[in-house]
Amino acid sequence: MTSTTRQIPARPQAAVKPVRWAADMVSTLREGARLHLDHSARSLWRVDRLIEDLRAEGTPYPAVENVLRGLGAYAGEVIVRETGGEWWATGGDHWIRTPDGRLWDPFDEARRCFGGHGSLRLLCRDAARGGRS
């Protein structure tokens, strides 16, 4: 019997924390809120709605800070998968760099969304428009 080993390309070191935060958020939402996130661009509509609901309930920012970090990381992973981009990090901050060289900050966009001025779905759409090579 012959076994075939498939090489999986290594992710950059900058991806370690955001990938973990995203995975934790997917698991938490699946178990706690019965919300299935499949890493598709369409799933970001549900994420935007979730953030909007948290804001509408009057949830204080400190109570959702880690949730927003997880949702931002999830959105970043969606952008990476949709565009072929990669995680970048410096000084503890994380961004997505799309193949066209642009940098995207899904964490800031999650905070903007909570403030009523952003959309992770639209961030992904904008990144994907110019992000494909």
Side-chain angles (χ1 to χ4, degrees):
M1 217 183 257
T2 307
S3 70
T4 305
T5 304
R6 185 174 146 205
Q7 292 287 337
I8 299 174
R11 304 272 317 254
Q13 183 65 28
V16 172
K17 285 183 181 180
V19 168
R20 166 54 54 204
W21 295 331
D24 289 348
M25 185 53 52
V26 167
S27 177
T28 298
L29 290 175
R30 182 179 55 240
E31 298 301 319
R34 303 269 187 240
L35 181 63
H36 178 70
L37 298 177
D38 61 3
H39 289 89
S40 68
R42 289 187 81 189
S43 70
L44 293 176
W45 180 86
R46 285 174 270 177
V47 172
D48 279 348
R49 285 294 308 255
L50 174 63
I51 295 171
E52 182 181 313
D53 290 347
L54 291 169
R55 184 182 79 248
E57 292 170 1
T59 309
Y61 179 78
V64 296
E65 188 172 7
N66 286 336
V67 171
L68 295 175
R69 182 187 70 188
L71 294 173
Y74 172 78
E77 270 299 287
V78 171
I79 293 169
V80 164
R81 294 174 187 205
E82 289 286 317
T83 67
E86 64 183 341
W87 284 102
W88 279 55
T90 183
D93 293 327
H94 295 83
W95 301 279
I96 302 299
R97 182 177 182 268
T98 50
D100 63 358
R102 292 183 298 168
L103 292 174
W104 304 89
D105 187 345
F107 301 103
D108 183 56
E109 194 66 18
R111 291 186 294 269
R112 287 175 34 79
C113 191
F114 184 70
H117 308 290
S119 168
L120 293 169
R121 179 182 57 83
L122 295 178
L123 181 75
C124 181
R125 183 199 67 190
D126 292 348
R129 280 187 176 162
R132 295 193 187 277
S133 14

